[in-house]
Amino acid sequence: MFSSYSFFKLFFTKSKWVSLILTALLTALASEIKLTPFNGEAFRFGLGSITFFLIILIHPPASLVRTGIFTGLFVICFRILGDIMVEPDQISASIKHHLPAFLFYFLFGLGLSIIQIEKYKTFPLLLGSFAAGIEFIGNGAEHILRSLFLNHADLGYQDWVLLFGVALLRSYF
């Protein structure tokens, strides 16, 4: 009998490239399930970061930084492709709109690499705290870059608190 766990394990251990592609694909798909907390803003919270973090915990990649870069590029290409299918003449606007998401996945992968995530797997509360901090930094940087690209208003105090709260919830989810 071939269980779903066996299927998952087979494909994630077969090759580092298959693992990298599946991580990026599953993250991109999950990131489309989203909540937009700021009225009129492009900034959104999706399940992408939760999926990314969960896959890294289940099957640590050879390089967290490479996985963050590849996943970030894959996510923005996935979103831009979706936009092009709807409005082919808006590619420049689509790139500006989605490019900041790359920064989040890069910083998240880099941050997890810096803390050496493997050391904290047996300390879930501490690991969740580190992940929440890294996610907060990544989300903050993503929003700041998006504000620069799209000339949006800066985040106020309540918005930063919301970013921090969501980072905590997603990290422990």
Side-chain angles (χ1 to χ4, degrees):
M1 183 168 178
F2 198 69
S3 70
S4 59
Y5 176 75
S6 298
F7 177 78
F8 184 79
K9 189 173 179 181
L10 171 71
F11 277 100
F12 273 87
T13 58
K14 193 74 170 164
S15 153
K16 70 178 180 179
W17 286 107
V18 171
S19 178
L20 197 61
I21 290 167
L22 280 176
T23 299
L25 178 62
L26 292 173
T27 300
L29 291 172
S31 73
E32 294 307 308
I33 302 168
K34 58 191 174 269
L35 166 71
T36 306
F38 306 120
N39 190 22
E41 287 286 331
F43 190 73
R44 63 196 189 157
F45 299 108
L47 295 179
S49 68
I50 294 170
T51 302
F52 184 68
F53 188 41
L54 182 62
I55 292 170
I56 285 171
L57 287 174
I58 292 170
H59 182 72
S63 168
L64 288 164
V65 175
R66 180 178 46 228
T67 303
I69 290 170
F70 187 80
T71 300
L73 289 172
F74 193 93
V75 166
I76 63 170
C77 289
F78 183 81
R79 292 177 183 172
I80 291 168
L81 183 61
D83 287 352
I84 291 172
M85 286 186 211
V86 176
E87 295 184 53
D89 57 337
Q90 296 295 320
I91 192 166
S92 178
S94 181
I95 290 169
K96 280 184 178 179
H97 181 76
H98 296 299
L99 191 60
F102 168 80
L103 185 59
F104 172 81
Y105 289 105
F106 168 70
L107 289 175
F108 199 69
L110 178 64
L112 292 176
S113 177
I114 289 171
I115 67 161
Q116 299 174 356
I117 190 173
E118 289 299 313
K119 292 194 307 190
Y120 300 102
K121 280 190 172 181
T122 57
F123 303 101
L125 293 177
L126 186 57
L127 178 59
S129 296
F130 282 136
I134 294 166
E135 183 161 335
F136 177 71
I137 291 167
N139 277 331
E142 177 185 354
H143 189 73
I144 290 168
L145 185 59
R146 182 167 277 117
S147 295
L148 292 173
F149 281 174
L150 303 175
N151 298 321
H152 287 277
D154 292 332
L155 285 171
Y157 174 75
Q158 289 179 327
D159 298 329
W160 285 105
V161 170
L162 179 61
L163 282 174
F164 184 73
V166 169
L168 276 174
L169 288 172
R170 286 201 305 194
S171 293
Y172 286 105
F173 182 73

mmCIF file of all heavy atoms in Angstrom, residues 129-171:
data_model
loop_
_atom_site.group_PDB
_atom_site.id
_atom_site.type_symbol
_atom_site.label_atom_id
_atom_site.label_comp_id
_atom_site.label_asym_id
_atom_site.label_seq_id
_atom_site.Cartn_x
_atom_site.Cartn_y
_atom_site.Cartn_z
ATOM 1 N N SER A 129 8.985 31.455 18.380
ATOM 2 C CA SER A 129 9.348 32.853 18.669
ATOM 3 C C SER A 129 10.337 33.390 17.633
ATOM 4 O O SER A 129 10.183 34.499 17.130
ATOM 5 C CB SER A 129 9.971 32.975 20.062
ATOM 6 O OG SER A 129 9.054 32.626 21.041
ATOM 7 N N PHE A 130 11.360 32.586 17.350
ATOM 8 C CA PHE A 130 12.319 32.993 16.325
ATOM 9 C C PHE A 130 11.629 33.170 14.972
ATOM 10 O O PHE A 130 11.858 34.151 14.264
ATOM 11 C CB PHE A 130 13.455 31.972 16.184
ATOM 12 C CG PHE A 130 14.506 32.058 17.240
ATOM 13 C CD1 PHE A 130 15.000 30.914 17.832
ATOM 14 C CD2 PHE A 130 15.033 33.277 17.640
ATOM 15 C CE1 PHE A 130 15.986 30.974 18.808
ATOM 16 C CE2 PHE A 130 16.017 33.356 18.608
ATOM 17 C CZ PHE A 130 16.491 32.201 19.201
ATOM 18 N N ALA A 131 10.787 32.207 14.606
ATOM 19 C CA ALA A 131 10.088 32.268 13.320
ATOM 20 C C ALA A 131 9.174 33.489 13.250
ATOM 21 O O ALA A 131 9.093 34.149 12.208
ATOM 22 C CB ALA A 131 9.293 30.991 13.090
ATOM 23 N N ALA A 132 8.495 33.803 14.350
ATOM 24 C CA ALA A 132 7.623 34.985 14.378
ATOM 25 C C ALA A 132 8.441 36.261 14.171
ATOM 26 O O ALA A 132 8.029 37.155 13.423
ATOM 27 C CB ALA A 132 6.860 35.044 15.695
ATOM 28 N N GLY A 133 9.594 36.336 14.825
ATOM 29 C CA GLY A 133 10.456 37.507 14.645
ATOM 30 C C GLY A 133 10.953 37.633 13.221
ATOM 31 O O GLY A 133 10.949 38.732 12.639
ATOM 32 N N ILE A 134 11.361 36.516 12.649
ATOM 33 C CA ILE A 134 11.843 36.529 11.257
ATOM 34 C C ILE A 134 10.705 36.893 10.310
ATOM 35 O O ILE A 134 10.888 37.678 9.373
ATOM 36 C CB ILE A 134 12.467 35.165 10.892
ATOM 37 C CG1 ILE A 134 13.737 34.931 11.725
ATOM 38 C CG2 ILE A 134 12.778 35.076 9.406
ATOM 39 C CD1 ILE A 134 14.234 33.497 11.703
ATOM 40 N N GLU A 135 9.529 36.334 10.564
ATOM 41 C CA GLU A 135 8.382 36.652 9.708
ATOM 42 C C GLU A 135 7.998 38.125 9.836
ATOM 43 O O GLU A 135 7.658 38.774 8.851
ATOM 44 C CB GLU A 135 7.187 35.766 10.054
ATOM 45 C CG GLU A 135 6.029 36.049 9.135
ATOM 46 C CD GLU A 135 4.997 34.957 9.098
ATOM 47 O OE1 GLU A 135 5.307 33.798 9.378
ATOM 48 O OE2 GLU A 135 3.847 35.308 8.757
ATOM 49 N N PHE A 136 8.051 38.663 11.027
ATOM 50 C CA PHE A 136 7.749 40.080 11.243
ATOM 51 C C PHE A 136 8.720 40.952 10.448
ATOM 52 O O PHE A 136 8.313 41.911 9.780
ATOM 53 C CB PHE A 136 7.815 40.407 12.736
ATOM 54 C CG PHE A 136 7.598 41.863 13.045
ATOM 55 C CD1 PHE A 136 6.343 42.436 12.906
ATOM 56 C CD2 PHE A 136 8.651 42.655 13.473
ATOM 57 C CE1 PHE A 136 6.140 43.787 13.187
ATOM 58 C CE2 PHE A 136 8.455 43.993 13.761
ATOM 59 C CZ PHE A 136 7.207 44.565 13.622
ATOM 60 N N ILE A 137 9.995 40.624 10.503
ATOM 61 C CA ILE A 137 11.008 41.375 9.743
ATOM 62 C C ILE A 137 10.734 41.253 8.241
ATOM 63 O O ILE A 137 10.761 42.246 7.514
ATOM 64 C CB ILE A 137 12.428 40.876 10.092
ATOM 65 C CG1 ILE A 137 12.781 41.275 11.518
ATOM 66 C CG2 ILE A 137 13.468 41.407 9.096
ATOM 67 C CD1 ILE A 137 14.017 40.588 12.073
ATOM 68 N N GLY A 138 10.449 40.021 7.779
ATOM 69 C CA GLY A 138 10.171 39.801 6.358
ATOM 70 C C GLY A 138 8.925 40.534 5.892
ATOM 71 O O GLY A 138 8.934 41.179 4.832
ATOM 72 N N ASN A 139 7.852 40.460 6.677
ATOM 73 C CA ASN A 139 6.612 41.158 6.305
ATOM 74 C C ASN A 139 6.798 42.665 6.323
ATOM 75 O O ASN A 139 6.287 43.376 5.451
ATOM 76 C CB ASN A 139 5.467 40.763 7.245
ATOM 77 C CG ASN A 139 4.805 39.476 6.853
ATOM 78 O OD1 ASN A 139 4.774 39.109 5.684
ATOM 79 N ND2 ASN A 139 4.272 38.766 7.829
ATOM 80 N N GLY A 140 7.519 43.157 7.333
ATOM 81 C CA GLY A 140 7.774 44.592 7.405
ATOM 82 C C GLY A 140 8.587 45.077 6.218
ATOM 83 O O GLY A 140 8.264 46.091 5.597
ATOM 84 N N ALA A 141 9.642 44.346 5.888
ATOM 85 C CA ALA A 141 10.478 44.715 4.738
ATOM 86 C C ALA A 141 9.680 44.643 3.440
ATOM 87 O O ALA A 141 9.808 45.519 2.574
ATOM 88 C CB ALA A 141 11.700 43.808 4.666
ATOM 89 N N GLU A 142 8.852 43.600 3.307
ATOM 90 C CA GLU A 142 8.022 43.471 2.109
ATOM 91 C C GLU A 142 7.081 44.663 1.969
ATOM 92 O O GLU A 142 6.947 45.235 0.888
ATOM 93 C CB GLU A 142 7.205 42.182 2.174
ATOM 94 C CG GLU A 142 6.259 41.998 1.006
ATOM 95 C CD GLU A 142 5.359 40.771 1.133
ATOM 96 O OE1 GLU A 142 5.523 39.977 2.084
ATOM 97 O OE2 GLU A 142 4.485 40.621 0.264
ATOM 98 N N HIS A 143 6.452 45.050 3.061
ATOM 99 C CA HIS A 143 5.513 46.167 2.988
ATOM 100 C C HIS A 143 6.221 47.493 2.705
ATOM 101 O O HIS A 143 5.719 48.313 1.935
ATOM 102 C CB HIS A 143 4.674 46.284 4.260
ATOM 103 C CG HIS A 143 3.568 47.276 4.110
ATOM 104 N ND1 HIS A 143 2.459 47.016 3.345
ATOM 105 C CD2 HIS A 143 3.438 48.531 4.556
ATOM 106 C CE1 HIS A 143 1.668 48.080 3.348
ATOM 107 N NE2 HIS A 143 2.248 49.004 4.086
ATOM 108 N N ILE A 144 7.382 47.689 3.307
ATOM 109 C CA ILE A 144 8.143 48.919 3.048
ATOM 110 C C ILE A 144 8.540 48.990 1.572
ATOM 111 O O ILE A 144 8.396 50.039 0.934
ATOM 112 C CB ILE A 144 9.381 49.003 3.977
ATOM 113 C CG1 ILE A 144 8.931 49.263 5.416
ATOM 114 C CG2 ILE A 144 10.354 50.075 3.494
ATOM 115 C CD1 ILE A 144 10.022 49.091 6.454
ATOM 116 N N LEU A 145 9.025 47.879 1.016
ATOM 117 C CA LEU A 145 9.397 47.859 -0.402
ATOM 118 C C LEU A 145 8.176 48.099 -1.288
ATOM 119 O O LEU A 145 8.241 48.850 -2.259
ATOM 120 C CB LEU A 145 10.063 46.525 -0.762
ATOM 121 C CG LEU A 145 10.619 46.404 -2.178
ATOM 122 C CD1 LEU A 145 11.676 47.478 -2.454
ATOM 123 C CD2 LEU A 145 11.192 45.017 -2.399
ATOM 124 N N ARG A 146 7.062 47.486 -0.934
ATOM 125 C CA ARG A 146 5.837 47.688 -1.709
ATOM 126 C C ARG A 146 5.409 49.160 -1.643
ATOM 127 O O ARG A 146 4.981 49.727 -2.642
ATOM 128 C CB ARG A 146 4.722 46.774 -1.188
ATOM 129 C CG ARG A 146 3.441 46.909 -1.981
ATOM 130 C CD ARG A 146 2.436 45.809 -1.703
ATOM 131 N NE ARG A 146 2.795 44.656 -2.518
ATOM 132 C CZ ARG A 146 3.153 43.474 -2.035
ATOM 133 N NH1 ARG A 146 3.200 43.274 -0.747
ATOM 134 N NH2 ARG A 146 3.463 42.489 -2.839
ATOM 135 N N SER A 147 5.559 49.782 -0.486
ATOM 136 C CA SER A 147 5.219 51.199 -0.344
ATOM 137 C C SER A 147 6.098 52.060 -1.240
ATOM 138 O O SER A 147 5.620 53.018 -1.852
ATOM 139 C CB SER A 147 5.378 51.652 1.112
ATOM 140 O OG SER A 147 4.462 51.001 1.933
ATOM 141 N N LEU A 148 7.388 51.717 -1.324
ATOM 142 C CA LEU A 148 8.306 52.466 -2.185
ATOM 143 C C LEU A 148 7.943 52.301 -3.657
ATOM 144 O O LEU A 148 7.962 53.257 -4.425
ATOM 145 C CB LEU A 148 9.749 52.016 -1.948
ATOM 146 C CG LEU A 148 10.349 52.352 -0.590
ATOM 147 C CD1 LEU A 148 11.715 51.688 -0.427
ATOM 148 C CD2 LEU A 148 10.464 53.861 -0.418
ATOM 149 N N PHE A 149 7.631 51.066 -4.065
ATOM 150 C CA PHE A 149 7.290 50.789 -5.459
ATOM 151 C C PHE A 149 5.961 51.407 -5.874
ATOM 152 O O PHE A 149 5.803 51.877 -6.991
ATOM 153 C CB PHE A 149 7.214 49.285 -5.717
ATOM 154 C CG PHE A 149 8.536 48.606 -5.885
ATOM 155 C CD1 PHE A 149 8.589 47.237 -6.004
ATOM 156 C CD2 PHE A 149 9.730 49.299 -5.936
ATOM 157 C CE1 PHE A 149 9.803 46.572 -6.168
ATOM 158 C CE2 PHE A 149 10.946 48.658 -6.095
ATOM 159 C CZ PHE A 149 10.977 47.289 -6.210
ATOM 160 N N LEU A 150 4.982 51.360 -4.992
ATOM 161 C CA LEU A 150 3.624 51.742 -5.357
ATOM 162 C C LEU A 150 3.166 53.044 -4.716
ATOM 163 O O LEU A 150 1.995 53.424 -4.834
ATOM 164 C CB LEU A 150 2.646 50.614 -4.990
ATOM 165 C CG LEU A 150 2.957 49.251 -5.625
ATOM 166 C CD1 LEU A 150 1.997 48.194 -5.097
ATOM 167 C CD2 LEU A 150 2.891 49.326 -7.136
ATOM 168 N N ASN A 151 4.075 53.752 -4.036
ATOM 169 C CA ASN A 151 3.774 55.038 -3.396
ATOM 170 C C ASN A 151 2.574 54.970 -2.454
ATOM 171 O O ASN A 151 1.677 55.800 -2.507
ATOM 172 C CB ASN A 151 3.556 56.128 -4.455
ATOM 173 C CG ASN A 151 4.789 56.365 -5.284
ATOM 174 O OD1 ASN A 151 5.900 56.349 -4.753
ATOM 175 N ND2 ASN A 151 4.607 56.555 -6.575
ATOM 176 N N HIS A 152 2.566 53.953 -1.593
ATOM 177 C CA HIS A 152 1.508 53.824 -0.594
ATOM 178 C C HIS A 152 1.944 54.517 0.693
ATOM 179 O O HIS A 152 3.121 54.747 0.933
ATOM 180 C CB HIS A 152 1.218 52.342 -0.287
ATOM 181 C CG HIS A 152 0.487 51.662 -1.386
ATOM 182 N ND1 HIS A 152 -0.870 51.742 -1.521
ATOM 183 C CD2 HIS A 152 0.919 50.886 -2.398
ATOM 184 C CE1 HIS A 152 -1.248 51.037 -2.580
ATOM 185 N NE2 HIS A 152 -0.171 50.515 -3.130
ATOM 186 N N ALA A 153 0.966 54.776 1.541
ATOM 187 C CA ALA A 153 1.255 55.394 2.834
ATOM 188 C C ALA A 153 2.050 54.431 3.713
ATOM 189 O O ALA A 153 1.953 53.220 3.562
ATOM 190 C CB ALA A 153 -0.054 55.769 3.519
ATOM 191 N N ASP A 154 2.831 55.000 4.596
ATOM 192 C CA ASP A 154 3.603 54.195 5.539
ATOM 193 C C ASP A 154 2.669 53.506 6.530
ATOM 194 O O ASP A 154 1.543 53.932 6.753
ATOM 195 C CB ASP A 154 4.589 55.071 6.304
ATOM 196 C CG ASP A 154 5.690 55.617 5.410
ATOM 197 O OD1 ASP A 154 6.006 54.950 4.400
ATOM 198 O OD2 ASP A 154 6.215 56.685 5.714
ATOM 199 N N LEU A 155 3.198 52.467 7.148
ATOM 200 C CA LEU A 155 2.440 51.765 8.182
ATOM 201 C C LEU A 155 2.402 52.598 9.454
ATOM 202 O O LEU A 155 3.401 53.176 9.857
ATOM 203 C CB LEU A 155 3.114 50.432 8.507
ATOM 204 C CG LEU A 155 2.960 49.303 7.510
ATOM 205 C CD1 LEU A 155 3.876 48.151 7.885
ATOM 206 C CD2 LEU A 155 1.526 48.825 7.467
ATOM 207 N N GLY A 156 1.242 52.616 10.081
ATOM 208 C CA GLY A 156 1.111 53.270 11.375
ATOM 209 C C GLY A 156 1.367 52.263 12.482
ATOM 210 O O GLY A 156 1.587 51.072 12.242
ATOM 211 N N TYR A 157 1.310 52.731 13.717
ATOM 212 C CA TYR A 157 1.561 51.889 14.885
ATOM 213 C C TYR A 157 0.629 50.672 14.904
ATOM 214 O O TYR A 157 1.088 49.545 15.138
ATOM 215 C CB TYR A 157 1.391 52.719 16.163
ATOM 216 C CG TYR A 157 1.488 51.909 17.427
ATOM 217 C CD1 TYR A 157 2.723 51.451 17.884
ATOM 218 C CD2 TYR A 157 0.344 51.579 18.149
ATOM 219 C CE1 TYR A 157 2.822 50.697 19.033
ATOM 220 C CE2 TYR A 157 0.431 50.822 19.304
ATOM 221 C CZ TYR A 157 1.667 50.387 19.742
ATOM 222 O OH TYR A 157 1.755 49.627 20.874
ATOM 223 N N GLN A 158 -0.657 50.879 14.665
ATOM 224 C CA GLN A 158 -1.613 49.761 14.677
ATOM 225 C C GLN A 158 -1.294 48.731 13.603
ATOM 226 O O GLN A 158 -1.469 47.538 13.814
ATOM 227 C CB GLN A 158 -3.040 50.277 14.500
ATOM 228 C CG GLN A 158 -3.567 51.007 15.710
ATOM 229 C CD GLN A 158 -4.974 51.510 15.489
ATOM 230 O OE1 GLN A 158 -5.349 51.881 14.371
ATOM 231 N NE2 GLN A 158 -5.762 51.534 16.558
ATOM 232 N N ASP A 159 -0.832 49.191 12.470
ATOM 233 C CA ASP A 159 -0.479 48.274 11.389
ATOM 234 C C ASP A 159 0.722 47.413 11.760
ATOM 235 O O ASP A 159 0.764 46.215 11.454
ATOM 236 C CB ASP A 159 -0.193 49.046 10.101
ATOM 237 C CG ASP A 159 -1.406 49.826 9.607
ATOM 238 O OD1 ASP A 159 -2.539 49.366 9.836
ATOM 239 O OD2 ASP A 159 -1.203 50.888 9.002
ATOM 240 N N TRP A 160 1.719 48.006 12.437
ATOM 241 C CA TRP A 160 2.892 47.240 12.880
ATOM 242 C C TRP A 160 2.493 46.211 13.932
ATOM 243 O O TRP A 160 3.003 45.094 13.941
ATOM 244 C CB TRP A 160 3.988 48.154 13.414
ATOM 245 C CG TRP A 160 4.723 48.873 12.318
ATOM 246 C CD1 TRP A 160 4.589 50.181 11.971
ATOM 247 C CD2 TRP A 160 5.660 48.308 11.397
ATOM 248 N NE1 TRP A 160 5.400 50.461 10.897
ATOM 249 C CE2 TRP A 160 6.079 49.331 10.523
ATOM 250 C CE3 TRP A 160 6.195 47.037 11.231
ATOM 251 C CZ2 TRP A 160 6.992 49.126 9.511
ATOM 252 C CZ3 TRP A 160 7.120 46.835 10.215
ATOM 253 C CH2 TRP A 160 7.502 47.867 9.372
ATOM 254 N N VAL A 161 1.564 46.591 14.811
ATOM 255 C CA VAL A 161 1.069 45.650 15.819
ATOM 256 C C VAL A 161 0.344 44.493 15.130
ATOM 257 O O VAL A 161 0.512 43.327 15.492
ATOM 258 C CB VAL A 161 0.152 46.360 16.846
ATOM 259 C CG1 VAL A 161 -0.564 45.360 17.747
ATOM 260 C CG2 VAL A 161 0.969 47.349 17.686
ATOM 261 N N LEU A 162 -0.447 44.810 14.108
ATOM 262 C CA LEU A 162 -1.149 43.773 13.346
ATOM 263 C C LEU A 162 -0.142 42.849 12.652
ATOM 264 O O LEU A 162 -0.294 41.620 12.676
ATOM 265 C CB LEU A 162 -2.089 44.389 12.317
ATOM 266 C CG LEU A 162 -2.858 43.412 11.437
ATOM 267 C CD1 LEU A 162 -3.761 42.505 12.268
ATOM 268 C CD2 LEU A 162 -3.670 44.164 10.401
ATOM 269 N N LEU A 163 0.892 43.419 12.053
ATOM 270 C CA LEU A 163 1.940 42.603 11.425
ATOM 271 C C LEU A 163 2.571 41.649 12.433
ATOM 272 O O LEU A 163 2.792 40.471 12.142
ATOM 273 C CB LEU A 163 3.048 43.491 10.831
ATOM 274 C CG LEU A 163 2.785 44.173 9.511
ATOM 275 C CD1 LEU A 163 3.942 45.107 9.164
ATOM 276 C CD2 LEU A 163 2.578 43.170 8.419
ATOM 277 N N PHE A 164 2.837 42.160 13.623
ATOM 278 C CA PHE A 164 3.452 41.332 14.655
ATOM 279 C C PHE A 164 2.492 40.243 15.127
ATOM 280 O O PHE A 164 2.875 39.082 15.285
ATOM 281 C CB PHE A 164 3.907 42.190 15.842
ATOM 282 C CG PHE A 164 4.626 41.391 16.886
ATOM 283 C CD1 PHE A 164 5.913 40.929 16.652
ATOM 284 C CD2 PHE A 164 4.014 41.086 18.088
ATOM 285 C CE1 PHE A 164 6.586 40.181 17.602
ATOM 286 C CE2 PHE A 164 4.681 40.336 19.044
ATOM 287 C CZ PHE A 164 5.964 39.878 18.809
ATOM 288 N N GLY A 165 1.233 40.604 15.315
ATOM 289 C CA GLY A 165 0.235 39.612 15.746
ATOM 290 C C GLY A 165 0.061 38.500 14.730
ATOM 291 O O GLY A 165 -0.015 37.319 15.089
ATOM 292 N N VAL A 166 -0.006 38.862 13.476
ATOM 293 C CA VAL A 166 -0.162 37.859 12.418
ATOM 294 C C VAL A 166 1.078 36.986 12.337
ATOM 295 O O VAL A 166 0.989 35.764 12.147
ATOM 296 C CB VAL A 166 -0.479 38.534 11.056
ATOM 297 C CG1 VAL A 166 -0.389 37.539 9.915
ATOM 298 C CG2 VAL A 166 -1.859 39.157 11.104
ATOM 299 N N ALA A 167 2.263 37.569 12.516
ATOM 300 C CA ALA A 167 3.502 36.784 12.503
ATOM 301 C C ALA A 167 3.488 35.746 13.626
ATOM 302 O O ALA A 167 3.864 34.589 13.416
ATOM 303 C CB ALA A 167 4.721 37.707 12.639
ATOM 304 N N LEU A 168 3.033 36.146 14.801
ATOM 305 C CA LEU A 168 2.932 35.199 15.918
ATOM 306 C C LEU A 168 1.947 34.082 15.603
ATOM 307 O O LEU A 168 2.254 32.903 15.796
ATOM 308 C CB LEU A 168 2.469 35.926 17.188
ATOM 309 C CG LEU A 168 3.522 36.628 18.008
ATOM 310 C CD1 LEU A 168 2.880 37.420 19.147
ATOM 311 C CD2 LEU A 168 4.538 35.648 18.562
ATOM 312 N N LEU A 169 0.772 34.452 15.122
ATOM 313 C CA LEU A 169 -0.252 33.437 14.815
ATOM 314 C C LEU A 169 0.214 32.463 13.746
ATOM 315 O O LEU A 169 0.050 31.249 13.884
ATOM 316 C CB LEU A 169 -1.557 34.107 14.374
ATOM 317 C CG LEU A 169 -2.340 34.799 15.483
ATOM 318 C CD1 LEU A 169 -3.514 35.584 14.890
ATOM 319 C CD2 LEU A 169 -2.834 33.798 16.505
ATOM 320 N N ARG A 170 0.791 32.993 12.682
ATOM 321 C CA ARG A 170 1.219 32.090 11.588
ATOM 322 C C ARG A 170 2.382 31.210 12.011
ATOM 323 O O ARG A 170 2.468 30.061 11.593
ATOM 324 C CB ARG A 170 1.588 32.901 10.341
ATOM 325 C CG ARG A 170 0.375 33.443 9.635
ATOM 326 C CD ARG A 170 0.616 33.791 8.217
ATOM 327 N NE ARG A 170 1.695 34.712 7.970
ATOM 328 C CZ ARG A 170 1.871 35.333 6.824
ATOM 329 N NH1 ARG A 170 1.041 35.141 5.824
ATOM 330 N NH2 ARG A 170 2.886 36.150 6.646
ATOM 331 N N SER A 171 3.270 31.725 12.832
ATOM 332 C CA SER A 171 4.426 30.921 13.245
ATOM 333 C C SER A 171 4.035 29.761 14.149
ATOM 334 O O SER A 171 4.646 28.710 14.095
ATOM 335 C CB SER A 171 5.449 31.798 13.960
ATOM 336 O OG SER A 171 5.991 32.719 13.043
#
